Amino acid sequence: MAGTPRAGIIPVTPFQQNCTLIWSDETKVGAVVDPGGDLDRIEAAIRDQGITIEKILLTHGHIDHAGGADELRERLGVPIEGPHEADRYLLDSLPETGANYGLEGARAVTPDRWLAEGDSVSVGDLAFDILHAPGHSPGSVVFVSRDARFALVGDVVFKGSVGRTDLPGGNHDQLIRAIKEKVLPLGDDIAFIPGHGPTSTLGEERMTNPFLQE
Ligand SMILES: [Zn+2]
Ligand SMILES: [Zn+2]
């Protein structure tokens, strides 16, 4: 039987990135999504919730999402799944990117598993389908639980906005196409946690997000 997902958000790094703990209410087994940094605070949140972390998930390769992933993998002894391999160049260059932004300790990351469109990711008794949604970065992925009507969208779409596309590898038209053709069709009732800022639903964004009106 499918578990009931619970989620907790820990804003990390100077970019206030929504590092998210996702776990099953029944089993207390979960995952850390996008541990960009501030690992001591992430580990404290894991202890506070009393959950067992089984894996680390990455939505894409930007420093505020992936900068702490390699060290957290070492600390927790769990594998990293995601993003799509098209973000390999971003993950390889995290130490240089970190130095440019003045962020200490970012390490390059090679995930234990790259994800592609149509893949499925388990977290305890939770199951997520993978959408490849490029445009913000070439390898951005969305994790969606169709059972629980819940998604983790990284920097693809935000409440009232969409991901920036001025960074290397960004493509605005491709991003809007991915949102309209893959993400919104998941259904208006899907609640999502974005990489930054408040949560929303796909229906609210379909109807009010200025970037998604025709
Ligand atoms: Zn990003
Ligand atoms: Zn971000």
Side-chain angles (χ1 to χ4, degrees), residues 60 62 65 136 155:
H60 65 295
H62 284 154
H65 298 255
H136 170 67
D155 289 354

Side-chain angles (χ1 to χ4, degrees), residues 126-151:
L126 307 176
F128 294 89
D129 296 334
I130 301 305
L131 302 181
H132 180 208
H136 170 67
S137 75
S140 286
V141 296
V142 167
F143 297 84
V144 55
S145 169
R146 293 176 203 268
D147 288 341
R149 312 309 291 161
F150 169 74

